[in-house]
Each structure stands twice: as C-alpha cells, then as structure tokens.
Amino acid sequence: MSEAEGGLAAVVVAGGSGIRMGAGTRKQYLALGGIPLMGHSLRMLDQNPEVESIVLVVPSEDMVYVRDCILPDLKLRRVPSLAAGGTTRQASVYSGLNSVDASAGFILVHDAVRPFLEYRHISETLDVARNHGAATLVIDVVDTLRRQLPGGNVLMVDRQGLFAVQTPQVFRSDILRRAHETALARGLEGTDDAGLVTAMGHSVVFVRGSRINLKVTSPEDLILAEALLGIIRKKAGL
C-alpha cells in the first residue's frame, strides 16, 4: 500500500488552556450534554470506519487525568493515544503528528472544542484530500467587516471571496509533515495547518462546512452549544 493509499489517522487538538472561557476547568473538559466537550468529537471519530487511529493532544500536566478520569467514561471502542500539548496550537499539532503511526497515508486534524463534528465532514474532506492532497472545511463570511487603521480611521472590508476556516482539515501525511517541518525550520507560526501547507506552496481545497460546527471558546458559545445539542437530540428522538 502506497502512502497515498494509506489509512486515515486523526489528531484531536485539546492542548489549550481555555483561559478565554474564564472557568476553573479547561474548556475541553467542561460538560456538554453530560460528557466533556471534547468527548463528542472523539465519539464521532471513534465510530467512523475510515478513521484507523486517534491521537488526542492534551496539556502535559493533564495526561494522567485524561487517561484515568475522562477517557474510560467515554466508552470508546479504541482508546486514543495521548500526546503532550505544546505552548502553541502549532506545537501541539506537531506533537500529535509525532505520535501518528508512520503508515498513515492521511491525517485529519480537528479542534477538540468543535463538538458538532459530522460524518460528512470527515468523508468529504478525506475524499478531496485523496484527490488533491489537502482539504479544509470553510464557511462563508456573512457579517459586515471593518478594519481599524492606525490613527483611528475605519476601512470597510469587502467580504466577497472571504471564508472562515473550520476543522476538520485533512492532508496527505507527507504534505502535512513537511509543512510542519518547514515552518519549524523557518520559524513560521500559523493559526491552522491549512495555512502552513499553503505557506509551503501547496494548494488547499475548500470543502463546504456548517455553521453548526462551531468552536466553543467563550461562555456564550457554550450556551449556544447546549441549545444546539438539545435541538439535535430532540430531532433524533433522544
């Protein structure tokens, strides 16, 4: 089996401190619908037959807590491997990559605090990555945008052609690894992996995401997530 035909490994990034949430508990461990926030994505990845392995990146000081107190209660079929997070998201992803089996042909990277991961998010980004090497979910920017310039002047930003980037993002393994190694060598810091791959000169194909696939970073986001989860469960008859 060539690398381009290899299986899919998932790197779930839960290495953040959660300071924007303002809670005493890191945001990835806060309860949503009775389970930790990050548990929702882990369960979806665990149930997906295309995902062969999962690496969960958490703060180094939390590894024993996650292993002994969180993962057992999720009752996953496959226990994720744990990797220690770094001081930045990029460093955390790189740590996760180093824990992915070398035989993986493709790597999916997902934010642990995006709990509404859907089956199609995985399958569609993987299909595009198989054909083009790199794919990311995006949604249209719908808000009116303004940029404040030095001196206080305000510039209107044309939102035509602008997209908000989401996860999951899926890459051919060699492309993602090379992007991280290149960024490390050049001292580049990116906010997401698609940006690092683009900076290396490789195109990333956009896949239509969903506004429900929100990233929980504030108390207001958590309230919205609880409401969405209630609606989803009601529609499903749960």
Side-chain angles (χ1 to χ4, degrees), residues 43-57:
R43 283 181 170 178
M44 176 59 71
L45 291 164
D46 183 58
Q47 294 164 9
N48 191 295
E50 293 186 289
V51 178
E52 294 187 353
S53 62
I54 303 171
V55 175
L56 175 61
V57 186

Side-chain angles (χ1 to χ4, degrees), residues 18 111 141 223 227:
D111 298 321
V141 173
I223 292 170

Side-chain angles (χ1 to χ4, degrees), residues 114-184:
R114 291 188 187 272
F116 298 109
L117 176 64
E118 299 177 26
Y119 186 95
R120 71 174 183 88
H121 294 155
I122 302 169
S123 61
E124 290 176 8
T125 48
L126 177 59
D127 285 346
V128 171
R130 281 173 173 155
N131 290 317
H132 300 281
T136 182
L137 286 190
V138 300
I139 57 173
D140 294 324
V141 173
V142 297
D143 294 320
T144 298
L145 302 176
R146 296 286 189 273
R147 174 181 292 132
Q148 187 164 9
L149 303 175
N153 292 329
V154 176
L155 175 69
M156 184 177 72
V157 178
D158 185 0
R159 68 185 178 216
Q160 184 69 29
L162 294 181
F163 299 90
V165 179
Q166 300 182 325
T167 66
Q169 300 178 352
V170 181
F171 310 91
R172 208 174 69 213
S173 176
D174 63 314
I175 292 173
L176 184 58
R177 293 182 189 277
R178 189 164 68 251
H180 271 267
E181 294 289 353
T182 300
L184 188 63

Side-chain angles (χ1 to χ4, degrees), residues 32-35 40 43 226-238:
L32 173 63
I35 68 170
H40 294 271
R43 283 181 170 178
E226 288 281 7
L228 283 172
L229 184 61
I231 294 170
I232 291 169
R233 286 180 170 177
K234 185 176 181 179
K235 285 186 175 181
L238 300 175

